[in-house]
Amino acid sequence: MAEAAPQYLALPSGLLELCALLGAPRDSLRGPEQVAQKKGVKSLSSLDPEVLSVFVPPFVTKEDSQPAGVSCVTLGKTRRRSFRKKRERPKAEPSKGHPGGPRGQDPEDVGIPNGVDLLALPQLCFPGGVCVASEPKEDCVHFLVLTDVCGNRTYGVVAQYYRPLHDEYCFYNGKMRWEASGLGRSAAGCFVPFAVCVVSRFPYYNALKDCLSCLLTHLKICKDFEVDNHIKDFAAKLSLIPSPPPGPLHLILNMKPLQIVFPSRADPESPLIDLDLHLPLLRFRPEKVLQILTCLLTEQHVVFFSSSWALLTLVAECFMAYLHPLQWQHTFVPILSRHMLDFVMAPTSFLMGCHLDHFEEVSKEADGLILINIDAGSITYSNDEDVDVPDIPLLAAQTFIQRVQSLQMHHELDLAHLCASTDLNEGRACRRAWQQRLNCQIQQITLQLLVCIFREVKNHLNYEHRVFNSEEFLKTRAPGDQQFYKQVLDTYMFHAFLKARLSRRLDAFAQMDLHTQSEEDRIDGMLLSPRRPTIEKMASRKSSAPHGAHRRMVVSMPNLQDIMVPELPPRNSSLRKIHTEDCGSSHTVLDMPSKLTYTFKIPEIHFPLVGQCVQAFHADCVAQLSKAMDSLAPENSVLLARYFYLRGLVQLMQGQLLGALLDFQSLYKTDVRIFPADLVQRTVESLSAPERAQAERTPELRRLISEVMDKPEDVPKADDRVKNFELPKKHMQLDDFVKRVQESGIVKDAGIIHRLFEALTVGHQKQIDPETFKDFYNCWKEAEAEAQEVNLPFSVMEQLDKNECVYKLSSSVKTNRGVGKIAMTQKRLFLLTEGRPGYVEISTFRNIEEVRSTTVAFLLLRIPTLKIKMVSKKEVFEANLKTECDLWHLMVKEMWAGKKLADDHKDPQYVQQALTHALLMDAVVGALQSPGAIYAASKLSYFDKMKNEMPMAVPKTTSETLKHKINPSAGETFPRAIDGLLYTPGHLDPAEKVEDAHPKLWCALNEGKVVVFDASSWTVHQHCFKVGTSKLNCMVMAEQSQVWVGSEDSVIYIINVHSMSCNKQLTDHRSSVTGLVVQDRAQAPSTVYSCSADGTVLAWNASSLQVTSRFQLPGDGLSAIRLHGGRLWCCTGNSIVVVTTAGFLHQELKIGENFKEISTSFLGFQLVPEEQLWAACAGYDDIYIWSLQDLAQPPQRIHLQDCSKINCMIRVKKQQIWVGGTGLSQGRSKGKIYVIDAERKTVEKELVAHTDTVKTLCSAEDRYVLSGSGREEGKIAIWKVE
C-alpha cells in the first residue's frame, strides 16, 4: 500500500465543502394549541430554523476501517452559533447517539469551511421562515452565494421538502417526535419543512440541484433516524468527486435515477457556467436588460425582487456572466432573508435580492435604490432624484437588441419535429446540448456588447508607463454617450478592466476584439503615424450620417508601428459597399464554431464508506483514466491533458505523490495552462526524504522539483497601478520629457521625441517648462480634432485610395490651379477647390522634383509662395500660402525626402516617420508662436537633412535584390533585435481559416516575444505574444501544425499554428536550447532533434512529444545541430562532431588542428549537397570549406571583403550560401550579406541594407531570403533570390 500523504499536505477539496440538514427547532413545536390550528400557517411562519446536522469532509481516512464519525455533528438549540470565530463558541455539549450511527464528537473538531456562517445559514436556507403546512407542498430549491471576509465566494444549493408530523417513524435525535416536543396525536395532518444545503467552491447550480433531487427521493421515504446516514452517504459521495479542470472534459456522476453532468470552465480565464443564461431574456425585454447592465457597469445600488427565491440568485448570476470578463467588485448577496433587509441601507455599491413581499418596505426605507422586479420585468427607482442612470451607448444598444431578438430561446420549437424520447437521461442530454449552444450564443452577444462599448479604450493607453488618457477618450465619445462613460470610468470594475488591458491579458474581451476588428482597424493598429479617419471610414460616416451625425470621432493616440499601407487603385469600387456597423460585421449572432465536449464517467462508489471502499474507488478512477488515455491519439493533447490532471488529483488523494507529480509534469507537454503550480509546490514540499531522493533520481521530476524549490520566495509584486494622464507641472529634462510625451500618446518612438525636444528648446536652456508643453499638447490635439472633422465629397473620395487619410489642410489660398485648400495625405498633395468642391491633384510625393519657398509681387507686397516642380509635368504648381508658406515648405520637403528614402530602401516606415515629423512641425509652430518657430520646427526635418547632407545612394546590387523591409518592433519605444526568423509555407488545413492558411514569417525578438507576419502581404498576422521571458535561440516547424522554439531558459516552447497559442512546453533540457532540426518521415511521425549548450542531444517524437533517445556530447558549448546523410552534425565551438542518430561518434573536425596560430572557435556551419562542409570561425573574415570525404585535408578559403564579423549562414537553392554579419560600406560599419556561389566558390553579391549587424537569415521556399538585424535597427529585409 502506498505511503499516506503527510498531514500537512492540504489535499484539493472535491465538489463538496459542507452539507447540512436544517429544520424547525423542537421547542418551537411544543404545545398542542399550536398544532391544532390546521390553517395556522401565519402563527407558525415566524418560527426560526436551526442547523440540525452538519457533514464536512473528509468522511473517512485510510487508517479507518469504519466510517469516520468526526464529520457529523448533531446540534441542539443551545448549539446554534457561528463556527467562524473560536472565541464565540461556547463549550459544546456531548452529542446524543443516533440509532444505527456513530456517536458524534465535540463540534469543535469539525472544520467548518471559511465563508460558511452556521448562524446565518438557517436564515438563508429558510429565507421566508419555517412554515408548518396543513397539507404537503412540492419540493423546491433555491441557491445561495456565500462570501467570506476576504471576498472569496462559495455557492450553496438548498432543497426544501416536507415530512408529516404524524409519521410514527419521525424521530428527533432518536426519540419519537411527539415525545421529544411534547406533542400529542392531535398534530396529525401537519407537515414540517426540512432543508438540505450543499455548499461547494464551484457554482454547480444545475448539477447540485439534480443531485439533491435524487437525494430527496430517498429522504422522503426513509425513517427519520435514517436521514442523517442518507445525507452523510450523499455528502461523502460528492466529496470524493474531483472538480474537472478547465477545458472540454465534463464529468458524469451516476446518482440514480439521474446521470449528473458536472461541466468544466471553457478555459482558465472563463467562469464556470452551470445555469440557463437565457432566464433574464425570458423575463426582461432587451432594452430592460441593457438598463440593468448599465446599472451594474455604473455600480449602482441594485436590488432584485421576485416571488421565487430561486430566480433571485439565478438571474443575478446570469447578469454576472453577462459582464465577463468585467467583474463585479462590490457586495453580492442575491438572497436576503426577512431578518437581513437592513442590508439595503449599506452606503457602498451592492447587488442584493429580496422576496417580492418586501418590495414596498424596501422602496420606502432606502433611497437611491434600483428596484428590479423579475416577475414583472420592470425597473423602478426608490427615489428618482437621487438616481442617475445613463443610457448605454446608442450604437451598441441597437446592435445588442437586434442580436438578442434573433435568438431562438424556446427548446420546444427544436423538439417539434422529433419523436418523444423514451429515455430520461437521453432527453436530459438533448436539452443540455441545446442549452449549452444557447449559452454560448448569449455569451458571444454580451461579449460583443462590451467590446463595442470599450473597444476604443486601447487607443488611449500607454502600455510602457501604464497610463490611460481618460480626458482624450471622453472627447471621442458621442455627446449622448458622455454621461455613461463618465460614470463608468470612475468605477472599480473599469479600473480592474484597465489593469487587464495594460497587462496585455489575452482574455475573452481581447480575443473577441481581435476576432471582430475590421481590416481598417487592423491596419490602424500597425501605422507609425498618428491615426486619422481613412477615406473608407469617411465614406462610411457620410453614408450613415442620419444615424450617427452627432458622433465626433477623435482618436488621439498614435501607434508608432511600421507596416506598409497597401496602395490601391485610385478609383476604389469598395467605397460603394460601405459597412455602417462599428460593432461587428453583422447585427446577427456571430456564427462561432461549436467546441467539442467530452465526458468521463466517474466510477461507482460503494458503501459503507470505509477506507477500503475509498481506496477501491480511487483505484477504479486511476484505472479508467489510464484506459481512456491509452485509447487517445497523441494528437488529442487537449483531452489528454485533462486526463493527466484528473489522474494526478486522484493519485494525490491516494497518497501516490510521485505518480501525481509525474502526471502534473506531463501537463507541460499537453497543456501548460492548467498546470496547478501552487498544488505542485505544496506536494514537493511535503515529500518525505525517501520520496524526495527517489524523485531526484527521476529525470522527469528533477527539473520540476528544481523549478519549485529554486523559485525565489519574495518576488516583488509588479506595479500594476493605472495612472491617468496629467499635464506636467514642473520643468522637464530630456528623460522626463520623453516619458511625458509617450504618456500623452502623441509619439512613442524615443528617437523622434529627442528631435522634438531639440525643436522646443532652440535658443533656450535644455529643459521644457510646463506652459510650453501645454501649448504644444493643445496644438497637437486641436490639429488632430480638425483633421477628424474633414468632410470630403464623394467625387473627391473616389480619386483617393481607401486607406489614405487627410492629415493637414491649409487655409483657403490662391493657386495657379484655382482657389481652394491644399490637402496632404500620406501619399500626395491635392487641391480641394472652393465653390463646388472638386479635386485637383497637385502631385504624389514620389513625383516631386523640387520644392521651393519664394515670394511673388502683388501690387506693393511680396507674397510668400510655395512652388512645387513635378517630374512628369512641365507646369510648376504655385500657391500663395502667405504666413503658412514656410511651414508647408518644411512639411512637403520632409514628406518628399521620406518617400524617396522609402523607395530607395524599400521601407515604408520612412514615409510614416516623415509624416510624424511633419505633424510635429505643425504643432511646434503653433505652440511657439515666435519668429524663431520655423527654425525650431526645422529641427524635425530629419530626412530632408539626411537627403541633403548624406546623399548615400543604395548600392545598385542591393537595390535590385532588396524587395521590402518590415519592422516587427513597430509600436515599441525602441527597436528590438531580431534573434530568429522562421518561414512556414501555407497549408489549406481544415482547422484553419482561409487567412490563417497563408504562409507566415515568425520573428523571435528579445525577452521571449514572437511576432507573426502574413508572408503573402507582409502585414502583421499576430501581434506580439510571449513564450517565456528569455532570449529565443532557434525555431523550427514540425508536422505542419507546430512551431518549436528553443529558449535560453532551457525550455522548448511549442506554438499551435492554428490557435496561435503556446500551451505546451518541453522541459527535459537542463541548459540553454541552442539548436533544433526535423527529420521528416513519409509515414511515421517526424523526429525532432534538439541540442543544448551543455552538450545534451534529445530525439523527440513530434506527435507524442516523448523523448525517444538521448545522448551526451563531451564538453560544453554545443551551439548548432544539422542533419545530413542520416547523421547529426553538431557544432561544439572547438570542434564539429558527426554522430549517428543514436549518438555514436562517427567523425570529428577539431578546430585546433587547422588554426594553430590564433585561438578561435566555430561560429556556425552549413552542409551542401556537393559533400562539403562550410564553416565560419571567430576572428576570421573568411569562409572555410572542407570536403566531407576527408575532413583531415586543409580547407579551402573564401575571403569576405570588408567583413569584420560573421553571425549566420544559410544554404539557398543548393548552389548559394548566404552569409550575414557586419562589414564596412562607404566607410561605415553596417549589416552586410555576402552571397556566395557554392560551385565557383566566389562572392557573387555584397548586399547592404541594415544599419546594424545581420543577426539571422532564413529562406522562404528558395524564392526569398529574409535577414534580421540587431537592436540598433531591428528590421527585417526581404531579398529576392536569383
Side-chain angles (χ1 to χ4, degrees), residues 1155 1157-1158 1160-1161 1163 1175-1184 1196-1207 1209 1219-1224 1232 1234 1236 1243 1246:
F1155 301 90
E1157 64 278 8
I1158 300 178
T1160 184
S1161 61
L1163 292 174
C1177 303
Y1180 289 86
D1181 55 1
D1182 299 307
I1183 296 294
Y1184 296 90
Q1196 295 177 270
R1197 292 174 47 187
I1198 300 177
H1199 181 65
L1200 305 181
Q1201 187 175 358
D1202 297 329
C1203 180
S1204 57
K1205 184 181 180 182
I1206 297 174
N1207 293 322
M1209 183 167 41
V1219 181
T1222 307
L1224 291 176
K1232 209 167 186 181
Y1234 298 86
I1236 304 173
V1243 177
E1246 294 184 16

Short mmCIF file of all heavy atoms in Angstrom, two decimals, residues 1155 1157-1158 1160-1161 1163 1175-1184 1196-1207 1209 1219-1224 1232 1234 1236 1243 1246:
data_model
loop_
_atom_site.label_atom_id
_atom_site.label_comp_id
_atom_site.label_asym_id
_atom_site.label_seq_id
_atom_site.Cartn_x
_atom_site.Cartn_y
_atom_site.Cartn_z
N PHE A 1155 43.78 25.72 -37.05
CA PHE A 1155 44.08 27.11 -36.69
C PHE A 1155 44.96 27.10 -35.45
O PHE A 1155 44.48 27.23 -34.33
CB PHE A 1155 42.79 27.88 -36.43
CG PHE A 1155 41.85 27.91 -37.60
CD1 PHE A 1155 40.88 26.91 -37.74
CD2 PHE A 1155 41.94 28.89 -38.56
CE1 PHE A 1155 40.03 26.92 -38.82
CE2 PHE A 1155 41.07 28.91 -39.65
CZ PHE A 1155 40.12 27.92 -39.78
N GLU A 1157 47.72 29.09 -35.00
CA GLU A 1157 48.35 30.35 -34.64
C GLU A 1157 47.47 31.24 -33.78
O GLU A 1157 47.94 32.02 -32.96
CB GLU A 1157 48.78 31.12 -35.91
CG GLU A 1157 47.63 31.56 -36.83
CD GLU A 1157 47.15 30.46 -37.77
OE1 GLU A 1157 47.62 29.31 -37.61
OE2 GLU A 1157 46.34 30.77 -38.65
N ILE A 1158 46.17 31.17 -33.96
CA ILE A 1158 45.24 32.02 -33.21
C ILE A 1158 44.16 31.14 -32.59
O ILE A 1158 43.62 30.25 -33.24
CB ILE A 1158 44.58 33.08 -34.12
CG1 ILE A 1158 45.64 33.99 -34.76
CG2 ILE A 1158 43.58 33.92 -33.34
CD1 ILE A 1158 45.05 35.02 -35.70
N THR A 1160 40.64 30.22 -31.67
CA THR A 1160 39.37 30.58 -32.28
C THR A 1160 38.35 29.48 -32.01
O THR A 1160 38.65 28.50 -31.32
CB THR A 1160 39.53 30.80 -33.80
OG1 THR A 1160 38.28 31.25 -34.33
CG2 THR A 1160 39.93 29.51 -34.51
N SER A 1161 37.18 29.66 -32.52
CA SER A 1161 36.11 28.66 -32.37
C SER A 1161 35.17 28.76 -33.55
O SER A 1161 35.12 29.78 -34.24
CB SER A 1161 35.33 28.89 -31.06
OG SER A 1161 34.73 30.17 -31.07
N LEU A 1163 31.85 29.42 -35.39
CA LEU A 1163 30.66 30.25 -35.17
C LEU A 1163 29.41 29.59 -35.74
O LEU A 1163 28.31 29.80 -35.25
CB LEU A 1163 30.85 31.62 -35.81
CG LEU A 1163 31.91 32.53 -35.18
CD1 LEU A 1163 32.07 33.79 -36.01
CD2 LEU A 1163 31.51 32.90 -33.76
N ALA A 1175 32.16 26.49 -43.05
CA ALA A 1175 32.15 26.94 -41.66
C ALA A 1175 32.76 28.33 -41.55
O ALA A 1175 33.59 28.74 -42.38
CB ALA A 1175 32.92 25.96 -40.78
N ALA A 1176 32.32 29.05 -40.51
CA ALA A 1176 32.88 30.36 -40.17
C ALA A 1176 33.51 30.26 -38.81
O ALA A 1176 33.02 29.54 -37.93
CB ALA A 1176 31.79 31.42 -40.19
N CYS A 1177 34.60 31.01 -38.60
CA CYS A 1177 35.34 30.95 -37.35
C CYS A 1177 35.46 32.33 -36.74
O CYS A 1177 35.55 33.34 -37.46
CB CYS A 1177 36.73 30.35 -37.57
SG CYS A 1177 36.70 28.70 -38.31
N ALA A 1178 35.46 32.38 -35.42
CA ALA A 1178 35.54 33.65 -34.70
C ALA A 1178 36.87 34.34 -35.01
O ALA A 1178 37.94 33.71 -34.99
CB ALA A 1178 35.39 33.40 -33.21
N GLY A 1179 36.81 35.63 -35.29
CA GLY A 1179 38.02 36.41 -35.53
C GLY A 1179 38.54 36.35 -36.95
O GLY A 1179 39.56 36.97 -37.27
N TYR A 1180 37.88 35.63 -37.83
CA TYR A 1180 38.33 35.49 -39.22
C TYR A 1180 37.25 36.03 -40.16
O TYR A 1180 36.05 35.88 -39.92
CB TYR A 1180 38.59 34.02 -39.55
CG TYR A 1180 39.83 33.45 -38.89
CD1 TYR A 1180 39.76 32.92 -37.61
CD2 TYR A 1180 41.06 33.46 -39.55
CE1 TYR A 1180 40.88 32.40 -36.99
CE2 TYR A 1180 42.20 32.94 -38.94
CZ TYR A 1180 42.10 32.41 -37.67
OH TYR A 1180 43.22 31.90 -37.05
N ASP A 1181 37.71 36.65 -41.26
CA ASP A 1181 36.78 37.18 -42.26
C ASP A 1181 36.77 36.28 -43.49
O ASP A 1181 36.65 36.75 -44.63
CB ASP A 1181 37.15 38.61 -42.64
CG ASP A 1181 38.59 38.75 -43.12
OD1 ASP A 1181 39.29 37.73 -43.17
OD2 ASP A 1181 39.00 39.88 -43.43
N ASP A 1182 36.93 34.99 -43.26
CA ASP A 1182 36.93 34.01 -44.34
C ASP A 1182 35.88 32.94 -44.05
O ASP A 1182 35.52 32.68 -42.90
CB ASP A 1182 38.30 33.34 -44.48
CG ASP A 1182 39.40 34.34 -44.80
OD1 ASP A 1182 39.24 35.08 -45.78
OD2 ASP A 1182 40.41 34.38 -44.05
N ILE A 1183 35.43 32.29 -45.12
CA ILE A 1183 34.62 31.08 -45.02
C ILE A 1183 35.52 29.91 -45.38
O ILE A 1183 36.23 29.93 -46.39
CB ILE A 1183 33.41 31.14 -45.96
CG1 ILE A 1183 32.47 32.28 -45.55
CG2 ILE A 1183 32.65 29.83 -45.97
CD1 ILE A 1183 31.81 32.10 -44.21
N TYR A 1184 35.48 28.86 -44.56
CA TYR A 1184 36.35 27.70 -44.77
C TYR A 1184 35.52 26.52 -45.24
O TYR A 1184 34.41 26.27 -44.73
CB TYR A 1184 37.08 27.36 -43.47
CG TYR A 1184 38.02 28.48 -43.04
CD1 TYR A 1184 37.57 29.50 -42.21
CD2 TYR A 1184 39.34 28.52 -43.49
CE1 TYR A 1184 38.40 30.54 -41.83
CE2 TYR A 1184 40.19 29.54 -43.11
CZ TYR A 1184 39.71 30.55 -42.27
OH TYR A 1184 40.54 31.59 -41.92
N GLN A 1196 39.58 24.83 -47.98
CA GLN A 1196 39.64 25.96 -48.91
C GLN A 1196 39.13 27.21 -48.19
O GLN A 1196 38.36 27.12 -47.24
CB GLN A 1196 38.79 25.68 -50.15
CG GLN A 1196 39.28 24.53 -51.00
CD GLN A 1196 38.32 24.29 -52.16
OE1 GLN A 1196 37.39 23.52 -52.05
NE2 GLN A 1196 38.57 24.96 -53.28
N ARG A 1197 39.53 28.37 -48.73
CA ARG A 1197 39.12 29.63 -48.10
C ARG A 1197 38.44 30.52 -49.12
O ARG A 1197 38.86 30.61 -50.28
CB ARG A 1197 40.32 30.36 -47.52
CG ARG A 1197 40.96 29.69 -46.34
CD ARG A 1197 42.23 30.41 -45.91
NE ARG A 1197 42.05 31.85 -45.82
CZ ARG A 1197 43.05 32.72 -45.59
NH1 ARG A 1197 44.28 32.27 -45.43
NH2 ARG A 1197 42.80 34.01 -45.52
N ILE A 1198 37.40 31.21 -48.66
CA ILE A 1198 36.76 32.26 -49.47
C ILE A 1198 36.81 33.53 -48.64
O ILE A 1198 36.23 33.60 -47.55
CB ILE A 1198 35.30 31.91 -49.83
CG1 ILE A 1198 35.25 30.62 -50.64
CG2 ILE A 1198 34.65 33.06 -50.59
CD1 ILE A 1198 33.83 30.18 -50.96
N HIS A 1199 37.51 34.53 -49.15
CA HIS A 1199 37.67 35.77 -48.38
C HIS A 1199 36.45 36.66 -48.55
O HIS A 1199 35.94 36.84 -49.67
CB HIS A 1199 38.93 36.51 -48.85
CG HIS A 1199 39.17 37.78 -48.09
ND1 HIS A 1199 39.47 37.80 -46.74
CD2 HIS A 1199 39.14 39.09 -48.50
CE1 HIS A 1199 39.61 39.05 -46.34
NE2 HIS A 1199 39.42 39.84 -47.40
N LEU A 1200 35.96 37.21 -47.45
CA LEU A 1200 34.83 38.15 -47.48
C LEU A 1200 35.38 39.56 -47.27
O LEU A 1200 35.82 39.91 -46.18
CB LEU A 1200 33.82 37.81 -46.37
CG LEU A 1200 33.27 36.37 -46.39
CD1 LEU A 1200 32.28 36.18 -45.26
CD2 LEU A 1200 32.63 36.02 -47.72
N GLN A 1201 35.36 40.33 -48.31
CA GLN A 1201 35.99 41.66 -48.28
C GLN A 1201 35.24 42.60 -47.33
O GLN A 1201 34.02 42.63 -47.30
CB GLN A 1201 36.01 42.26 -49.69
CG GLN A 1201 36.78 43.57 -49.79
CD GLN A 1201 36.86 44.05 -51.23
OE1 GLN A 1201 36.36 43.38 -52.14
NE2 GLN A 1201 37.50 45.19 -51.44
N ASP A 1202 36.01 43.33 -46.57
CA ASP A 1202 35.47 44.34 -45.62
C ASP A 1202 34.57 43.71 -44.55
O ASP A 1202 33.72 44.41 -43.98
CB ASP A 1202 34.71 45.45 -46.34
CG ASP A 1202 35.60 46.26 -47.27
OD1 ASP A 1202 36.79 46.39 -46.96
OD2 ASP A 1202 35.10 46.72 -48.31
N CYS A 1203 34.72 42.44 -44.30
CA CYS A 1203 33.89 41.77 -43.28
C CYS A 1203 34.61 41.82 -41.94
O CYS A 1203 35.79 41.48 -41.84
CB CYS A 1203 33.62 40.33 -43.68
SG CYS A 1203 32.62 39.42 -42.48
N SER A 1204 33.90 42.25 -40.91
CA SER A 1204 34.50 42.32 -39.57
C SER A 1204 33.94 41.27 -38.62
O SER A 1204 34.55 40.96 -37.61
CB SER A 1204 34.29 43.72 -38.97
OG SER A 1204 32.91 44.02 -38.91
N LYS A 1205 32.76 40.71 -38.95
CA LYS A 1205 32.16 39.70 -38.07
C LYS A 1205 31.14 38.88 -38.85
O LYS A 1205 30.39 39.42 -39.66
CB LYS A 1205 31.46 40.38 -36.87
CG LYS A 1205 30.90 39.42 -35.85
CD LYS A 1205 30.21 40.16 -34.71
CE LYS A 1205 29.65 39.19 -33.68
NZ LYS A 1205 28.94 39.91 -32.59
N ILE A 1206 31.11 37.59 -38.58
CA ILE A 1206 30.14 36.68 -39.20
C ILE A 1206 29.20 36.17 -38.12
O ILE A 1206 29.65 35.68 -37.08
CB ILE A 1206 30.83 35.51 -39.92
CG1 ILE A 1206 31.71 36.04 -41.06
CG2 ILE A 1206 29.80 34.52 -40.46
CD1 ILE A 1206 32.54 34.96 -41.72
N ASN A 1207 27.89 36.27 -38.36
CA ASN A 1207 26.90 35.85 -37.37
C ASN A 1207 26.09 34.63 -37.79
O ASN A 1207 25.69 33.82 -36.95
CB ASN A 1207 25.92 36.98 -37.07
CG ASN A 1207 26.57 38.15 -36.38
OD1 ASN A 1207 27.43 37.97 -35.53
ND2 ASN A 1207 26.17 39.36 -36.75
N MET A 1209 24.69 31.88 -41.34
CA MET A 1209 24.96 31.35 -42.67
C MET A 1209 23.86 30.37 -43.03
O MET A 1209 23.47 29.53 -42.21
CB MET A 1209 26.33 30.66 -42.64
CG MET A 1209 26.81 30.12 -43.96
SD MET A 1209 28.58 29.68 -43.92
CE MET A 1209 28.72 28.93 -42.32
N VAL A 1219 25.78 34.55 -46.29
CA VAL A 1219 26.48 34.77 -45.03
C VAL A 1219 26.11 36.15 -44.51
O VAL A 1219 26.22 37.15 -45.24
CB VAL A 1219 28.00 34.66 -45.21
CG1 VAL A 1219 28.71 34.87 -43.88
CG2 VAL A 1219 28.38 33.31 -45.81
N GLY A 1220 25.66 36.24 -43.27
CA GLY A 1220 25.27 37.52 -42.66
C GLY A 1220 26.19 37.90 -41.53
O GLY A 1220 26.64 37.06 -40.77
N GLY A 1221 26.47 39.20 -41.44
CA GLY A 1221 27.32 39.68 -40.37
C GLY A 1221 27.47 41.18 -40.42
O GLY A 1221 26.52 41.92 -40.75
N THR A 1222 28.66 41.66 -40.10
CA THR A 1222 28.95 43.09 -40.07
C THR A 1222 30.11 43.36 -41.01
O THR A 1222 31.08 42.60 -41.07
CB THR A 1222 29.32 43.55 -38.66
OG1 THR A 1222 28.29 43.14 -37.76
CG2 THR A 1222 29.46 45.07 -38.59
N GLY A 1223 30.02 44.47 -41.74
CA GLY A 1223 31.10 44.84 -42.65
C GLY A 1223 31.08 46.31 -42.93
O GLY A 1223 30.15 47.04 -42.54
N LEU A 1224 32.10 46.78 -43.64
CA LEU A 1224 32.20 48.19 -43.99
C LEU A 1224 31.52 48.45 -45.31
O LEU A 1224 31.67 47.68 -46.27
CB LEU A 1224 33.67 48.62 -44.07
CG LEU A 1224 34.45 48.66 -42.75
CD1 LEU A 1224 35.91 49.01 -43.00
CD2 LEU A 1224 33.83 49.67 -41.80
N LYS A 1232 25.81 43.43 -43.25
CA LYS A 1232 26.20 43.06 -44.61
C LYS A 1232 25.88 41.60 -44.87
O LYS A 1232 26.00 40.75 -43.97
CB LYS A 1232 27.70 43.32 -44.80
CG LYS A 1232 28.11 43.66 -46.21
CD LYS A 1232 29.53 44.21 -46.25
CE LYS A 1232 29.90 44.68 -47.63
NZ LYS A 1232 31.27 45.20 -47.70
N TYR A 1234 26.74 38.51 -47.68
CA TYR A 1234 27.56 38.04 -48.79
C TYR A 1234 26.88 36.83 -49.42
O TYR A 1234 26.57 35.85 -48.73
CB TYR A 1234 28.96 37.65 -48.31
CG TYR A 1234 29.75 38.79 -47.69
CD1 TYR A 1234 29.60 39.11 -46.35
CD2 TYR A 1234 30.61 39.55 -48.47
CE1 TYR A 1234 30.30 40.15 -45.78
CE2 TYR A 1234 31.33 40.60 -47.90
CZ TYR A 1234 31.17 40.89 -46.56
OH TYR A 1234 31.88 41.94 -46.01
N ILE A 1236 27.35 33.82 -51.88
CA ILE A 1236 28.48 33.07 -52.43
C ILE A 1236 27.95 31.97 -53.35
O ILE A 1236 27.01 31.24 -52.99
CB ILE A 1236 29.32 32.45 -51.30
CG1 ILE A 1236 29.80 33.55 -50.33
CG2 ILE A 1236 30.51 31.67 -51.85
CD1 ILE A 1236 30.49 33.02 -49.10
N VAL A 1243 32.34 35.16 -54.25
CA VAL A 1243 31.30 36.07 -53.74
C VAL A 1243 30.62 36.73 -54.93
O VAL A 1243 31.26 37.49 -55.67
CB VAL A 1243 31.89 37.12 -52.79
CG1 VAL A 1243 30.81 38.08 -52.34
CG2 VAL A 1243 32.54 36.44 -51.59
N GLU A 1246 27.41 41.53 -52.69
CA GLU A 1246 27.51 42.09 -51.34
C GLU A 1246 26.30 42.99 -51.15
O GLU A 1246 26.13 43.96 -51.87
CB GLU A 1246 28.81 42.87 -51.16
CG GLU A 1246 30.06 42.01 -51.21
CD GLU A 1246 31.32 42.82 -50.92
OE1 GLU A 1246 31.18 43.94 -50.38
OE2 GLU A 1246 32.42 42.33 -51.23
#
